[in-house]
Amino acid sequence: MTRKIARTTRSLGLATRRDLGLATQRAAIGVLSATLLTLAAPNGIALGLSAPAAAGSAAPPAASEYRTLPVCHAPSPGHASCLALALAPRTAAARLRMHQLARVHSAAIGTASPTACTQVFPACLTPQNLNDAYFPGEKPEAPGSEPQTIALVDAYNDPNIEGDLKVYDEAFGLPACTEANGCFKKVNQKGEVGRPPTTKGEAEKEEAEGWALEISTDVEAAHAVCQNCHIELVEANDSAYANLVTAEETAVQIAGVGEISNSWGGPEAELTNPEIAAFNHPGIVITASAGDDGYLNWDLWKTEPLNFDEPDFPASSPDVVAVGGTRLTLSSSGTWGGESVWNDDQEGSGEGASGGGCSLRFGAQAWQRDTPDWPAVGCEDRRAVADVSADADPDSGVAVYDSVPYPYEEAGKAKVEAPRWLPIGGTSLASPIIAAMFALAGGAHGVAYPAQTLYSHLSSAALHDVAPQAGISAGGNGECDDEYSSCSGSMKPLSPFDCGEGALICNAAVGYDGPTGVGTPSGLGAFKTTTAAGGTGGSPESKSGSGGSSQLETGTSSNPQNTETQGPSESSLQAPNTPTITTPNGATTTIRLSDLTLTAGAIAAIRHGHRSLARLAFAFTLSAASRVRFTLMRQQRIRGHRRWVSEPDSLTFSATAGRNHLRLRGRVTLPTGRYRVTLAPTRGQSQSLTFLLVEPV
């Protein structure tokens, strides 16, 4: 644990995906954009995308020549971020190749072809590639007797999306999908046509441009997989949770909608009950991207400011299908050749990795807990992310067409350019792929929570099991990438970077595992019901506290063995008495509160000098359910003497038996100094710990 924290500190000087400023991102994408203005092959010859190189032909560009850039900003408080990733040149050779192609090709903007994409990038997968990889030999059409409508929830407005979809369809010979033929429709978060969201100020305008590329990815990927499905794009006013949730509820009300895809995510800790309930709609397939920054978003912990250390929501909701990411390899014949966990972080480079982890807010559905290897996952009774996976590595990304201009700077001059064709990855890509495959199979088929259908096919021929082969690891989404010879991590004490050797929440294994869920699709059979998936299912309750204060949230797990690291704190028992309470059956129970610690994420924040109230999170174990009083005190010098003075954050909340997690909320910056937290169960044994907050170094 100490080595991990130290390594992170040393890495802070390196540029990572989230470190890159907006101007830097735009400049990199601008270089890419200027090159991809013209992408038709000479003389109109079709070169074929991502097919194996013919004998004597040039090898495709190496993935190491490119770096990954996020399309959208990391989420600010109360907001979510889109999860699309793009590639930009890393080497001079890659930049030169792109400029040479730009000089050679001269197709008009409206007729640009994607065929040169594979001359520039490692891969630009086509609709046919996706068909051959995930449902070979089956038609990319939903049954005529079961017409399907896929809703895509995104933020801001993409003014060019229908025209971009037209270019995409014509490039790959797909059926036209337009408003005129009834295939495509765009509405705002209230369901209104012709009144798209508008932006206010330069910051929102820039954020909207990133979401426009996300929208192109969602719409084109969904149509690539299910080519006769209707597509309804629901655009939220902005990326605030409140507006995205409104858009989600609107999507649910769309006539005939069977699937909803959400290629975005953010923290789960600050959710309200209405926001949680917006994703609980039995009988509708709701997919959500697992995230692009690895197990518990560890990839973001090498950046400033620190970001959240938990799974992404809505993927962490037990009511949705959480979709993780893989690196897809095609065989020499263009069919599925293998998959591994997508984890492109290389020695702190921050290139991205499939998200996931154990939720601190939600319990696991019964069908997830019933998987044979569930005890090795490490989440006890908590929700584990993900459920299923699909391609998400930008190096094996899908070709996307987008014409919304991006502003960038070149040689100190402001310019505007459009990316046109480029490969896009991220779990943002995986979510619409899975939603569209559910549509191909005819939807939920009456299953209340359709993730159950996927679990009913675990370890069957209907799924590719992303697992070690011939002693070769399939990887993991933690910092160690399932290679522990010179790397370590552990869930006890909890590492914020890796779950540790043998824990399946962040390492691929035979059967269920956190990074890839039950695996990836091998045909449409995985999306069709079996007897095991035929029930209506149920939704475990959110385990957030119901205390009277909005400043605290709680989460529980029934097994107290998953203790948190103590970190830079001292712990001592207060109140040595051990009172008892009488249970309804007349037995007496001693209420003990033990193992009070700061969470690993809070320790990392404190060590980085962050003093925000929202950075403080704690874990503790209760021997029985009880009301618990929380008190925060700061040591102050009064009249020459040190005194503990209560802060105004004391409150009482409900906690259950087992391991509980608390997270403070608020935008208050705490003064430097020594603090003491005391948790006291009603008529029970209390415990305290102290910790020191200092100025950042």
Side-chain angles (χ1 to χ4, degrees):
M1 178 65 183
T2 303
R3 185 186 68 81
K4 291 293 185 186
I5 295 293
R7 177 176 174 181
T8 300
T9 303
R10 291 196 300 269
S11 300
L12 289 175
L14 300 176
T16 65
R17 293 191 303 111
R18 300 297 186 180
D19 284 327
L20 294 170
L22 181 62
T24 305
Q25 293 182 32
R26 297 304 185 192
I29 295 178
V31 172
L32 177 153
S33 302
T35 304
L36 297 180
L37 272 172
T38 57
L39 292 172
N43 303 318
I45 299 173
L47 301 178
L49 298 187
S50 62
S57 64
S64 60
E65 295 185 72
Y66 298 87
R67 60 174 172 162
T68 299
L69 294 176
V71 168
C72 295
H73 294 290
S76 56
H79 288 247
S81 176
C82 82
L83 296 168
L85 300 177
L87 294 180
R90 184 193 299 275
T91 65
R95 287 190 291 271
L96 178 61
R97 183 188 304 115
M98 294 171 67
H99 285 299
Q100 287 174 335
L101 284 173
R103 287 197 298 267
V104 171
H105 302 312
S106 57
I109 290 176
T111 59
S113 164
T115 51
C117 194
T118 48
Q119 296 180 12
V120 179
F121 297 104
C124 295
L125 301 187
T126 69
Q128 188 62 51
N129 292 145
L130 294 176
N131 185 313
D132 291 343
Y134 289 134
F135 51 107
E138 299 184 75
K139 292 182 178 180
E141 300 174 353
S145 60
E146 297 176 312
Q148 295 292 308
T149 296
I150 304 171
L152 305 168
V153 175
D154 285 294
Y156 296 106
N157 176 45
D158 182 346
N160 301 351
I161 183 57
E162 188 177 11
D164 290 350
L165 179 58
K166 181 176 184 293
V167 173
Y168 184 87
D169 291 342
E170 290 176 349
F172 295 115
L174 304 187
C177 188
T178 66
E179 291 186 357
N181 67 14
C183 174
F184 177 76
K185 187 177 180 181
K186 183 175 75 171
V187 299
N188 63 20
Q189 68 181 41
K190 295 181 179 180
E192 300 167 331
V193 177
R195 300 184 64 184
T198 58
T199 56
K200 305 177 185 67
E202 191 62 26
E204 277 200 359
K205 182 176 181 294
E206 291 174 344
E207 187 179 11
E209 288 154 357
W211 278 88
L213 183 51
E214 173 64 66
I215 289 171
S216 292
T217 302
D218 291 347
V219 171
E220 292 167 18
H223 194 224
V225 173
C226 186
Q227 297 173 15
N228 70 336
C229 284
H230 290 193
I231 295 175
E232 293 233 10
L233 172 63
V234 185
E235 296 179 328
N237 289 346
D238 56 30
S239 61
Y241 264 133
N243 289 322
L244 285 165
V245 164
T246 298
E248 191 79 17
E249 294 286 14
T250 294
V252 170
Q253 301 303 319
I254 293 172
V257 70
E259 299 79 26
I260 303 172
S261 176
N262 302 276
S263 292
W264 49 271
E268 65 173 14
E270 298 185 4
L271 297 167
T272 65
N273 287 334
E275 290 168 346
I276 293 170
F279 297 88
N280 183 8
H281 293 283
I284 296 177
V285 179
I286 301 179
T287 64
S289 301
D292 294 345
D293 290 287
Y295 167 72
L296 297 180
N297 282 281
W298 73 269
D299 212 8
L300 289 177
W301 283 86
K302 291 183 169 63
T303 67
E304 295 286 350
L306 297 177
N307 285 274
F308 57 98
D309 57 333
E310 55 197 31
D312 283 54
F313 181 88
S316 64
S317 166
D319 304 324
V320 310
V321 178
V323 187
T326 63
R327 173 180 293 161
L328 172 65
T329 301
L330 300 180
S331 69
S332 59
S333 61
T335 57
W336 186 86
E339 281 176 279
S340 58
V341 178
W342 167 49
N343 188 344
D344 284 340
D345 183 78
Q346 300 167 0
E347 293 300 318
S349 63
E351 293 293 311
S354 181
C358 305
S359 172
L360 298 182
R361 288 292 303 268
F362 306 106
Q365 293 274 24
W367 51 83
Q368 189 176 59
R369 298 195 307 270
D370 289 344
T371 56
D373 57 356
W374 181 250
V377 173
C379 292
E380 294 106 23
D381 67 343
R382 290 176 285 158
R383 162 71 156 146
V385 177
D387 295 314
V388 68
S389 293
D391 183 37
D393 191 335
D395 292 333
S396 58
V398 171
V400 169
Y401 182 82
D402 177 63
S403 64
V404 172
Y406 277 73
Y408 70 100
E409 290 185 8
E410 189 175 275
K413 296 182 179 180
K415 296 188 176 183
V416 176
E417 199 54 85
R420 306 307 175 196
W421 288 101
L422 71 164
I424 294 293
T427 53
S428 162
L429 168 64
S431 180
I433 288 175
I434 296 299
M437 289 195 69
F438 263 110
L440 284 180
H445 294 295
V447 178
Y449 299 100
Q452 184 180 8
T453 299
L454 296 168
Y455 281 83
S456 72
H457 294 283
L458 180 65
S459 300
S460 76
L463 293 162
H464 297 298
D465 191 357
V466 183
Q469 300 290 333
I472 299 176
S473 170
N477 62 352
E479 183 183 35
C480 299
D481 197 11
D482 198 23
E483 296 290 343
Y484 293 98
S485 58
S486 60
C487 182
S488 63
S490 176
M491 296 188 72
K492 181 186 178 183
L494 184 65
S495 163
F497 309 117
D498 195 280
C499 64
E501 187 171 11
L504 303 190
I505 188 58
C506 77
N507 297 307
V510 175
Y512 176 82
D513 58 69
T516 66
V518 296
T520 63
S522 179
L524 300 180
F527 303 89
K528 297 178 180 179
T529 57
T530 65
T531 302
T536 58
S539 174
E541 293 181 0
S542 162
K543 296 192 173 183
S544 58
S546 56
S549 171
S550 64
Q551 292 297 308
L552 189 71
E553 293 190 349
T554 66
T556 68
S557 61
S558 61
N559 191 331
Q561 297 303 311
N562 182 22
T563 57
E564 304 281 349
T565 180
Q566 180 77 12
S569 62
E570 304 164 10
S571 177
S572 61
L573 288 177
Q574 309 288 110
N577 59 313
T578 55
T580 61
I581 62 171
T582 302
T583 61
N585 61 8
T588 58
T589 301
T590 299
I591 303 295
R592 289 189 177 90
L593 189 149
S594 59
D595 299 325
L596 173 60
T597 62
L598 286 157
T599 67
I603 292 170
I606 289 171
R607 287 179 174 173
H608 282 79
H610 292 272
R611 296 182 288 111
S612 169
L613 183 69
R615 295 293 187 189
L616 295 183
F618 308 89
F620 64 94
T621 299
L622 268 185
S623 62
S626 175
R627 296 280 289 174
V628 177
R629 182 167 181 78
F630 167 90
T631 304
L632 177 66
M633 308 182 80
R634 182 164 66 95
Q635 194 175 72
Q636 299 183 39
R637 184 175 292 277
I638 301 175
R639 296 179 181 177
H641 298 280
R642 296 185 183 275
R643 298 283 188 269
W644 288 106
V645 179
S646 270
E647 296 292 315
D649 295 284
S650 299
L651 54 98
T652 301
F653 61 95
S654 296
T656 64
R659 196 65 173 161
N660 289 256
H661 294 77
L662 319 176
R663 180 182 294 274
L664 299 183
R665 299 181 62 184
R667 299 184 179 182
V668 175
T669 298
L670 296 171
T672 58
R674 184 173 296 276
Y675 288 82
R676 183 169 70 188
V677 166
T678 300
L679 295 182
T682 302
R683 296 176 296 172
Q685 184 173 338
S686 64
Q687 191 173 26
S688 297
L689 66 81
T690 63
F691 57 92
L692 187 65
L693 294 182
V694 297
E695 292 285 354
V697 178

